């Protein structure tokens, strides 16, 4: 009996010892010597990223404000990366690849929308403690957001003036301003599939904001009425609807968060603030894809 107790006691001691062993203690192949090798932080250039949060005030919550906007800009960079790739895929008639890229854009948009929930924890009193330090800097000036709008076909010439301070950046924006957008190549895909699209649409000036066209509407209507024969175009259309839907949800959450924090004050960049953000909710990117829903 005593021998059994001793064995049981030893077994329990071993089990207790194992419970307190660090998870890495039994992982003999884990690399710990990085004197000559690249680390995780090196690869991600974390020194640069994590040193980029420089508050202009001593207020605690300015850190939240900076990080939320920096994270959103990183997500926008990925949106542009995927959207540009999707445009090229559609040009090559590789619609299946574009579906994956556009689906990823929608998932990223969802992440950006969630960021407003975090920023909305900033109260009006807290924001006013450091708002003046922003000067005339505003999210309105986000050049990546403008590039996203350009890629989706919404273009207004006056916004380019904002970026005259940086000639290289202005060159990038000007090129994107004159380039065909996501919807342009989608309409071209309709024409390649045999649908009759007006020549003025196919040869339009891409520096102008897209406006609805009857031939495009009829083509999409036919796609939705004959899904089996036009599955790829139907799938493309729904991916575009997803993106515009998410973008408008992002805009709405932006508007409500701004209203929650500053009410109807003028924006730091000089816009009318909430009133301006309400107006942009009426902007449409892929009008025919919404219009046909009434007629189906």
């Amino acid at each position: 009996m005593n021998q059994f107790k001793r064995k049981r006691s030893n077994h329990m001691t071993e089990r207790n010892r194992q419970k307190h062993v660090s998870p890495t203690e039994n992982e003999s192949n884990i690399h710990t010597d990085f004197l000559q090798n690249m680390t995780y932080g090196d690869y991600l250039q974390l020194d640069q990223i994590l040193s980029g949060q420089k508050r202009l005030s001593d207020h605690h919550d300015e850190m939240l404000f900076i990080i939320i906007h920096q994270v959103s800009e990183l997500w926008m960079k990925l949106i542009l990366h995927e959207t540009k790739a999707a445009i090229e895929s559609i040009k090559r008639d590789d619609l299946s690849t574009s579906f994956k890229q556009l689906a990823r854009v929608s998932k990223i948009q969802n992440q950006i929308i969630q960021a407003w929930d975090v920023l909305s924890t900033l109260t009006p009193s807290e924001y006013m403690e450091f708002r003046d330090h922003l000067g005339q800097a505003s999210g309105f000036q986000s050049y990546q957001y403008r590039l996203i709008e350009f890629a989706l076909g919404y273009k207004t010439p006056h916004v380019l003036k904002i970026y005259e301070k940086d000639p290289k950046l202005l060159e990038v924006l000007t090129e994107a301003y004159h380039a065909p957008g996501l919807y342009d190549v989608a309409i071209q895909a309709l024409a390649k599939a045999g649908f009759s699209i007006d020549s003025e649409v196919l040869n339009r000036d891409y520096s102008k904001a897209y406006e609805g066209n009857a031939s495009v509407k009829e083509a999409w209507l036919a796609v939705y009425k004959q899904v089996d024969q036009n599955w790829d175009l139907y799938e493309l259309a729904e991916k575009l609807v997803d993106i515009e839907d998410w973008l408008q949800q992002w805009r709405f959450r932006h508007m409500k968060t701004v209203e929650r924090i500053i009410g109807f004050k003028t924006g730091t960049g000089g816009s009318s603030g909430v009133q301006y953000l309400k107006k942009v909710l009426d902007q449409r990117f892929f009008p025919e894809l919404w219009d046909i829903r009434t007629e189906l």
Side-chain angles (χ1 to χ4, degrees):
M1 187 70 174
N2 289 337
Q3 185 178 5
F4 173 75
K5 285 183 177 179
R6 282 196 300 273
K7 287 182 177 179
R8 187 169 183 272
S9 176
N10 291 338
H11 178 65
M12 293 300 291
T13 301
E14 177 62 20
R15 285 184 61 187
N16 289 334
R17 189 190 71 78
Q18 290 177 356
K19 285 182 181 178
H20 292 90
V21 169
S22 168
T24 60
E25 222 173 284
N26 292 325
E27 296 289 342
S28 60
N29 291 323
I30 289 180
H31 294 289
T32 57
D33 182 1
F34 287 95
L35 293 176
Q36 303 297 326
N37 296 314
M38 179 178 66
T39 66
Y40 169 82
D42 294 334
Y43 174 68
L44 295 178
Q45 300 185 56
L46 289 182
D47 284 349
Q48 290 178 261
I49 294 174
L50 299 180
S51 63
Q53 296 72 49
K54 303 185 188 304
R55 290 181 293 169
L56 299 180
S57 74
D58 294 327
H59 198 274
H60 173 84
D61 293 311
E62 189 182 354
M63 183 65 75
L64 162 68
F65 191 81
I66 292 171
I67 288 177
I68 286 293
H69 287 85
Q70 287 181 339
V71 168
S72 294
E73 289 291 336
L74 283 172
W75 280 129
M76 282 193 274
K77 182 172 184 176
L78 189 54
I79 285 175
L80 287 166
H81 178 71
E82 297 296 339
T83 303
K84 289 175 184 176
I87 288 172
E88 293 305 313
S89 294
I90 296 168
K91 284 181 179 179
R92 297 193 307 268
D93 299 324
D94 184 6
L95 297 187
S96 60
T97 297
S98 76
F99 299 156
K100 173 65 180 294
Q101 293 156 340
L102 295 175
R104 183 173 290 165
V105 169
S106 293
K107 292 295 184 182
I108 299 165
Q109 289 176 296
N110 184 43
Q111 290 295 313
I112 295 183
I113 290 170
Q114 300 305 314
W116 293 123
D117 293 338
V118 183
L119 187 59
S120 66
T121 64
L122 181 69
T123 68
S125 298
E126 291 162 347
Y127 182 49
M128 292 311 295
E129 289 290 328
F130 62 86
R131 187 180 191 239
D132 287 345
H133 289 274
L134 303 181
Q136 295 178 323
S138 165
F140 182 83
Q141 298 144 17
S142 168
Y143 72 85
Q144 290 199 123
Y145 180 72
R146 296 303 169 195
L147 286 171
I148 290 172
E149 283 191 330
F150 292 173
L152 298 184
Y154 184 76
K155 300 175 181 180
T156 50
H158 67 275
V159 300
L160 291 175
K161 185 172 179 59
I162 297 170
Y163 310 101
E164 290 177 351
K165 177 181 178 180
D166 187 337
K168 288 184 178 179
L169 177 57
L170 180 60
E171 184 179 350
V172 170
L173 283 153
T174 302
E175 182 180 351
Y177 187 81
H178 290 279
L182 183 60
Y183 199 44
D184 293 309
V185 295
I187 292 171
Q188 290 166 11
L190 286 171
K192 289 178 184 178
F195 290 96
S196 178
I197 304 296
D198 290 343
S199 59
E200 59 263 32
V201 176
L202 296 174
N203 300 302
R204 76 184 195 87
D205 180 356
Y206 298 125
S207 67
K208 307 293 184 183
Y210 178 79
E211 297 180 1
N213 176 269
S215 68
V216 174
K217 180 180 176 182
E218 288 303 311
W220 285 126
L221 195 58
V223 168
Y224 273 77
K225 285 182 176 180
Q226 300 172 329
V227 172
D228 291 343
Q229 296 96 312
N230 302 287
W231 179 261
D232 280 353
L233 290 170
Y234 170 73
E235 184 73 8
L236 175 60
E238 284 298 291
K239 289 289 186 288
L240 296 180
V241 170
D242 285 342
I243 286 173
E244 181 165 346
D245 191 351
W246 282 114
L247 181 64
Q248 295 293 49
Q249 290 186 54
W250 181 88
R251 284 175 159 182
F252 178 79
R253 290 292 292 120
H254 183 190
M255 182 268 293
K256 295 305 293 183
T257 302
V258 170
E259 183 178 0
R260 176 172 177 159
I261 296 174
I262 68 167
F264 286 82
K265 293 184 181 71
T266 301
T268 52
S271 75
S272 57
V274 170
Q275 296 293 359
Y276 168 78
L277 295 174
K278 283 184 176 181
K279 289 178 185 176
V280 299
L281 286 171
D282 293 330
Q283 291 174 0
R284 304 174 82 198
F285 295 93
F286 317 131
E288 294 88 356
L289 293 177
W290 295 96
D291 292 342
I292 61 172
R293 279 154 163 75
T294 305
E295 301 182 27
L296 286 169

